[in-house]
């Protein structure tokens, strides 16, 4: 926590705004919209809810297809299934580790040849670990075919591409404030949009779709997806430290990069998720790629388990959705980039509270693993 969150919670208690609406919700939405340069932000109970309501706003329903980045957390894809639609998974490209525009174009051409293009209702690119996807290329393809983009920016609050905030490129953007994200409301999310009608209908659906009547009248199926005023208060406190958090995460990454640059001089070749000149990543997580063929046979699993010996947790990168048992048999376009990233990638300790002592401990162990 940044420090002022409790003040906002106290205000909410003092004013008795303990409900899924109130002044903190309104103010949090305003700050998020301003920060992400989107006219409307709707605060919700989770990032998953934001993706779900985003798909509903795009009219995704039974029998439709939604094109989705394969390499991501399952919450990018699960809401497609909630809607009775089928995901079509797309490989990553090796620069950003995000949706490959070439594989995306291939998928669309193939679906068109099969007469299924009209069923495609949305494209979901993801900005993994904060790294902006190649949105120029992806938007160009999406616009060419008139398919709306729902940007999963759950990991990328504060990241920019050509100076424009992640989450503001598509028709809809989704943010997450889960406990592990760069800022948190303990649990929460937001839907970003430039369209007032989308924002209004998202608020309506997220609060049980109650029509304007003295009694409870419903013409639509609603959801209980709104963010509470207490959690929004935490979010207001967190917005005050967001830029500090980004600076810390970026400095974590630079420490690792510096360390591995030295290691690489000793006959290793550790790679990173690289920014290009037009992208700025919040560096939510610091990740490395370790090809055993370039690293004396050392695998990411060797490194992960050796770190764990000293109670240092590192994790494999997201396992691609097209390799998940739950999505077996789902269409997939591309090669094995996402799969190789999964086999060779490791997320290193990346928290905003990572101290000098903890860095020393991690570097000492890594030094041991990579031969002193
Ligand atoms: C965290 C996350 C989500 C889901 O957000 P929740 O707030 O946990 O529901 C969706 N997509 C990605 C890529 C995420 O990392």
């Amino acid at each position: 926590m940044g420090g002022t969150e409790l003040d906002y919670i106290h205000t909410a208690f003092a004013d008795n705004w303990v409900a899924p609406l109130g002044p903190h919700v309104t103010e949090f939405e305003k700050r998020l919209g301003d920060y992400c340069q989107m006219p409307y932000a709707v605060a919700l109970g989770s990032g998953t809810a934001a993706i779900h309501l985003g798909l509903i706003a795009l009219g995704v329903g039974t029998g439709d297809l939604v094109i989705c980045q394969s390499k991501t957390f399952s919450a990018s894809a699960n809401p497609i299934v909630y809607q009775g639609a089928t995901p079509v998974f797309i490989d990553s490209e090796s620069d950003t580790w995000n949706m490959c525009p070439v594989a995306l174009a291939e998928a669309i051409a193939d679906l068109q040849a099969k007469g299924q293009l009209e069923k495609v209702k949305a494209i979901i690119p993801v900005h993994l670990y904060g790294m902006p996807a190649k949105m120029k290329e992806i938007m160009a393809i999406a616009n060419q075919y008139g398919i709306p983009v729902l940007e999963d920016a759950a990991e990328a609050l504060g990241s920019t591409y050509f100076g424009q905030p992640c989450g503001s490129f598509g028709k809809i953007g989704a943010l997450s404030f889960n406990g592990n994200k760069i800022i948190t409301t303990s649990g929460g999310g937001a839907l970003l949009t430039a369209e007032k009608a989308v924002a209004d209908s998202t608020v309506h659906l997220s609060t049980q779709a109650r029509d304007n009547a003295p009694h409870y009248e419903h013409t639509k199926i609603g959801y209980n997806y709104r963010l509470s005023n207490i959690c929004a208060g935490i979010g207001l406190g967190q917005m005050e430290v967001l830029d500090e958090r980004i600076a810390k995460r970026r400095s974590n990454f630079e420490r690792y990069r510096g360390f591995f640059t030295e290691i690489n001089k000793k006959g290793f070749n550790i790679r990173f998720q690289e920014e290009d000149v037009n992208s700025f990543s919040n560096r939510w997580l610091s990740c490395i790629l370790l090809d055993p063929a370039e690293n004396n046979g050392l695998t990411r699993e060797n490194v992960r388990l050796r770190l764990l010996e000293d109670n240092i947790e590192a994790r494999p990168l997201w396992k691609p959705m097209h390799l998940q048992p739950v999505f077996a048999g789902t269409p997939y376009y591309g090669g094995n980039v996402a799969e190789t990233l999964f086999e060779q990638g490791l997320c290193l300790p990346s928290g905003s509270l990572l101290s000098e002592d903890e860095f020393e401990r991690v570097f000492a162990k890594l030094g041991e693993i990579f031969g002193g």
Side-chain angles (χ1 to χ4, degrees):
M1 290 291 99
T4 60
E5 292 86 354
L6 268 179
D7 299 336
Y8 288 102
I9 293 177
H10 281 307
T11 310
F13 271 69
D15 300 340
N16 207 26
W17 275 110
V18 183
L21 80 167
H24 288 345
V25 174
T26 310
E27 183 59 26
F28 186 43
E29 290 178 335
K30 188 178 174 323
R31 298 248 192 111
L32 286 171
D34 289 349
Y35 194 88
C36 296
Q37 295 171 25
M38 273 296 239
Y40 303 97
V42 179
L44 298 168
S46 69
T48 312
I51 296 169
H52 188 191
L53 293 182
L55 291 175
I56 292 174
L58 298 179
V60 174
T62 308
D64 288 333
L65 300 174
V66 174
I67 295 177
C68 182
Q69 181 166 323
S70 181
K71 191 168 184 62
T72 184
F73 175 52
S74 63
S76 305
N78 286 340
I80 300 169
V81 181
Y82 301 166
Q83 283 308 99
T86 301
V88 174
F89 291 119
I90 306 290
D91 201 2
S92 293
E93 41 79 19
S94 49
D95 300 336
T96 70
W97 307 357
N98 293 313
M99 181 178 276
C100 172
V102 178
L104 171 65
E106 253 170 48
I108 292 177
D110 187 59
L111 292 168
Q112 190 170 36
K114 291 178 175 153
Q116 295 186 318
L117 194 58
E118 308 78 71
K119 288 203 211 165
V120 179
K121 294 288 161 63
I123 300 172
I124 307 181
V126 188
H127 309 293
L128 280 189
Y129 311 114
M131 182 62 68
K134 294 192 168 166
M135 290 311 294
K136 281 225 158 152
E137 288 92 331
I138 292 168
M139 289 308 298
I141 297 166
N143 291 336
Q144 184 188 340
Y145 292 93
I147 307 169
V149 167
L150 195 169
E151 228 182 315
D152 183 347
E155 302 177 1
L157 180 60
S159 299
T160 62
Y161 186 60
F162 284 88
Q164 187 181 331
C166 285
S168 71
F169 286 85
K171 187 170 157 108
I172 288 169
L175 301 174
S176 167
F177 316 114
N178 192 17
N180 61 342
K181 296 302 199 293
I182 193 145
I183 62 165
T184 184
T185 57
S186 75
L191 180 146
L192 302 170
T193 178
E195 295 178 28
K196 186 172 189 307
V198 170
D200 288 347
S201 88
T202 300
V203 171
H204 179 66
L205 291 178
S206 72
T207 48
Q208 308 284 24
R210 220 188 128 186
D211 291 342
N212 194 10
H215 58 278
Y216 279 77
E217 177 85 3
H218 304 276
T219 48
K220 284 193 174 130
I221 296 294
Y223 300 86
N224 185 2
Y225 276 178
R226 199 75 164 119
L227 189 69
S228 89
N229 195 56
I230 303 296
C231 293
I234 302 176
L236 284 174
Q238 289 275 282
M239 285 305 282
E240 294 174 13
V241 295
L242 173 56
D243 289 336
E244 260 171 58
R245 294 287 183 271
I246 296 169
K248 168 62 174 158
R249 301 277 175 146
R250 286 182 62 85
S251 113
N252 285 349
F253 174 79
E254 290 307 331
R255 300 277 312 256
Y256 284 118
R257 192 217 293 275
F259 177 84
F260 283 110
T261 303
E262 292 308 307
I263 294 283
N264 283 351
K265 290 178 185 162
K266 299 180 196 166
F268 291 93
N269 192 12
I270 301 299
R271 299 170 193 270
F272 298 94
Q273 193 180 25
E274 295 291 356
E275 285 172 324
D276 71 21
V277 288
N278 299 309
S279 57
F280 175 89
S281 169
N282 68 13
R283 293 287 184 194
W284 174 52
L285 298 186
S286 291
C287 309
I288 55 169
L289 276 189
L290 189 108
D291 180 351
E294 295 176 343
N295 291 285
N296 313 322
L298 203 62
T299 66
R300 75 116 155 86
E301 213 36 23
N302 295 144
V303 175
R304 189 184 73 80
L305 291 170
R306 290 288 305 282
L307 286 168
L308 201 58
E309 283 172 359
D310 281 22
N311 199 23
I312 298 168
E313 189 189 18
R315 287 193 198 158
L317 304 190
W318 299 124
K319 180 176 178 177
M321 290 303 116
H322 73 282
L323 300 175
Q324 296 285 359
V326 73
F327 289 119
T330 306
Y332 171 72
Y333 292 88
N336 63 355
V337 176
E339 186 168 0
T340 305
L341 289 167
F342 171 59
E343 282 163 4
Q344 301 184 352
L346 196 64
C347 302
L348 297 168
S350 303
S352 295
L353 287 175
L354 212 55
S355 67
E356 213 44 47
D357 285 356
E358 286 168 325
F359 256 122
E360 288 311 313
R361 198 156 78 77
V362 173
F363 286 145
K365 187 67 180 179
L366 285 171
E368 215 180 90
I369 298 168
F370 288 89

